[in-house]
């Protein structure tokens, strides 16, 4: 409401100026606060002075502020139950349509990063556990720690300079999820173009998660390998492969699966903001950040709702995966 009034009165200076201290911004405006305190006392909206009160009432009705707070709350619950998030305050488009447009980018980054991380980290972690203390274990641990210490956005800039900026090599595209001519490509070339654009963003995002998951897998397998039932299985004549994948794997993978929801949600939302900005990928991370700065609360609440819902679904899938990995786990027969 205040943002619309500011835009109509010409005093709005944009999201960036509000946090930069420029004149007219939130920080810059504090120096002028004393001169406007008397006028502000006559209105509950900052910047509403000089506007027709009837127009202010129309705005209140448009945004639903003419209803009591408890009524607005229950209306919001009803609308959210059917995925009706209303319209964006400043984009003049349905919030749900806006999220649908941005969702493919975030899904691409989060899903493929998680899959690639698990496909590499789990075999590597198992091999490091089996060869604990060997030269392979030592040098891979060094590489993993260095990769974990490097910020993802710094790696992204380095990869652009080396492999996409033209300074050294021009092997990968600089921006976007697909090429501009993607629609004209034959069907069999479209997947290659899609993954070609994902190589650098995924590589930049996965370093931290890759290190965490590899060491988690290694430590989990080491704990299981040192237990008594492993010695019993070896004494019975089982081969190392049978011991590792027939006995240890199921028990050791439970803790790895338990970390899947958090890893996926972080990759899906939190970790993609800077990467989306650097590679010009317009996804949910960038949308949420811009909406917070612009006070586009309809979009902010909708993205939070979608994030929470995805987190719940991923946690449910994680619980179901427990039963696939270890059939001894049966949630239906648990005694309360």
């Amino acid at each position: 409401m205040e943002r619309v009034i500011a835009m109509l009165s010409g005093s709005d200076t944009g999201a960036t100026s509000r946090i930069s201290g420029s004149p007219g911004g939130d920080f810059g405006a504090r120096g002028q606060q004393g001169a406007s305190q008397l006028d502000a006392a006559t209105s509950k909206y900052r910047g509403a002075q000089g506007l027709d009160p009837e127009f202010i009432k129309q705005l209140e009705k448009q945004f639903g502020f003419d209803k009591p707070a408890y009524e607005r709350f229950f209306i919001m619950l009803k609308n959210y139950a059917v995925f009706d998030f209303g319209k964006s305050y400043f984009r003049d488009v349905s919030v749900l349509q806006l999220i649908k447009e941005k969702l493919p980018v975030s899904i691409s980054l989060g899903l493929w990063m998680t899959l690639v991380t698990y496909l590499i980290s789990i075999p590597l972690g198992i091999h490091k556990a089996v060869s604990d203390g060997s030269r392979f274990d030592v040098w891979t641990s060094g590489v993993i720690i260095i990769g974990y210490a490097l910020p993802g956005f710094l790696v992204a800039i380095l990869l652009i300079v080396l492999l996409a900026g033209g300074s050294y090599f021009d092997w990968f595209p600089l921006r976007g999820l697909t090429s501009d001519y993607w629609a004209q490509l034959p069907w069999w070339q479209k997947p290659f173009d899609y993954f070609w654009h994902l190589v650098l963003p995924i590589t930049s995002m996965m370093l931290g998660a890759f290190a965490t998951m590899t060491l988690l897998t290694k430590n989990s397998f080491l704990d299981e390998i040192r237990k008594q039932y492993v010695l019993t299985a070896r004494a019975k004549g089982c081969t190392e492969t049978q011991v590792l994948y027939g006995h240890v794997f199921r028990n050791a993978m439970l803790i790895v699966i338990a970390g899947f929801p958090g890893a996926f949600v972080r990759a899906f939302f939190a970790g993609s903001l800077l990467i989306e900005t650097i590679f010009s990928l317009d996804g949910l991370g960038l949308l949420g950040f811009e909406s917070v700065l612009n006070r586009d609360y309809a979009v902010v609440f909708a993205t939070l709702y979608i994030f929470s819902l995805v987190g719940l679904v991923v946690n449910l899938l994680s619980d179901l995966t427990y039963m696939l990995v270890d059939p001894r786990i049966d949630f239906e027969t648990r005694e309360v």
Side-chain angles (χ1 to χ4, degrees):
M1 184 74 176
E2 291 179 353
R3 179 78 190 277
V4 173
I5 293 173
M7 293 173 65
L8 292 173
S9 62
S11 60
D12 180 68
T13 54
T16 56
S17 62
R18 289 202 308 275
I19 61 176
S20 64
S22 61
D26 283 350
F27 295 109
R30 291 181 182 178
Q32 306 171 2
Q33 195 173 29
S36 60
Q37 281 181 346
L38 184 60
D39 292 336
T42 62
S43 175
K44 62 181 178 180
Y45 299 113
R46 182 178 60 184
Q49 293 75 26
L51 296 178
D52 187 359
E54 291 298 325
F55 178 72
I56 300 298
K57 290 182 179 179
Q58 292 178 7
L59 283 179
E60 289 179 345
K61 185 176 181 180
Q62 176 183 348
F63 290 104
F65 291 114
D66 59 330
K67 299 182 177 65
Y70 70 89
E71 185 177 347
R72 298 200 305 267
F73 177 72
F74 286 110
I75 291 174
M76 182 189 71
L77 292 182
K78 177 185 175 182
N79 293 335
Y80 276 35
V82 294
F83 292 91
D84 181 9
F85 305 115
K87 279 192 173 184
S88 170
Y89 293 165
F90 309 107
R91 300 173 189 256
D92 195 27
V93 65
S94 168
V95 174
L96 189 59
Q97 180 63 34
L98 194 61
I99 291 177
K100 286 181 179 178
E101 292 176 359
K102 314 298 183 183
L103 199 57
V105 174
S106 295
I107 289 179
S108 296
L109 293 177
L111 181 63
W112 291 116
M113 196 213 79
T114 305
L115 289 177
V116 171
T117 300
Y118 271 68
L119 289 175
I120 296 176
S121 298
I122 292 177
L124 180 59
I126 294 174
H127 190 53
K128 283 174 65 63
V130 172
S131 57
D132 183 43
S134 65
R135 182 177 297 178
F136 171 82
D137 180 46
V138 172
W139 75 261
T140 52
S141 295
V143 172
I144 288 172
I145 292 173
I146 293 174
Y148 182 76
L150 293 174
F153 70 90
L154 185 62
V155 176
I157 296 174
L158 180 64
L159 290 176
I160 287 178
V161 172
L162 294 178
L163 303 178
S167 300
Y168 295 91
F169 303 98
D170 194 10
W171 293 346
F172 297 98
L174 276 171
R175 60 184 303 275
L177 198 60
T178 56
S179 300
D180 296 334
Y181 51 86
W182 189 81
Q184 285 75 41
L185 291 174
W187 66 268
W188 55 272
Q189 288 187 1
K190 290 183 178 180
F192 291 101
D193 182 78
Y194 169 73
F195 287 111
W196 181 47
H197 282 75
L198 281 177
V199 171
L200 296 188
I202 296 299
T203 303
S204 305
M205 292 177 62
M206 67 178 290
L207 290 179
F210 170 76
T212 303
M213 187 55 58
T214 301
L215 296 179
L216 177 64
T217 304
K218 175 192 173 182
N219 294 332
S220 178
F221 271 80
L222 277 178
D223 289 340
E224 294 297 325
I225 288 173
R226 293 166 180 169
K227 289 183 178 179
Q228 185 65 40
Y229 73 90
V230 175
L231 297 177
T232 304
R234 288 171 176 167
K236 289 181 177 180
C238 294
T239 64
E240 285 299 315
T241 301
Q242 290 174 331
V243 170
L244 193 60
Y245 294 100
H247 296 80
V248 175
F249 184 82
R250 290 180 177 180
N251 296 325
M253 283 301 295
L254 291 179
I255 190 173
V256 177
I257 294 173
F260 175 78
F264 178 77
V265 172
R266 284 194 300 271
F268 194 33
F269 307 119
S272 61
L273 172 59
L274 292 175
I275 302 301
E276 287 179 9
T277 304
I278 292 173
F279 290 98
S280 300
L281 299 171
D282 196 5
L284 284 179
L286 187 58
L287 173 66
F289 177 72
E290 291 178 346
S291 300
V292 169
L293 289 182
N294 292 324
R295 291 185 285 187
D296 196 348
Y297 298 121
V299 178
V300 173
F301 291 151
T303 52
L304 288 176
Y305 180 80
I306 296 296
F307 293 174
S308 303
L309 191 62
V310 171
L312 291 174
V313 172
V314 172
N315 273 290
L316 177 61
L317 294 177
S318 177
D319 291 340
L320 295 176
T321 309
Y322 282 153
M323 299 176 62
L324 295 177
V325 174
D326 192 347
R328 296 173 299 175
I329 299 177
D330 187 355
F331 295 104
E332 293 183 357
T333 60
R334 289 179 59 189
E335 295 182 3
V336 180

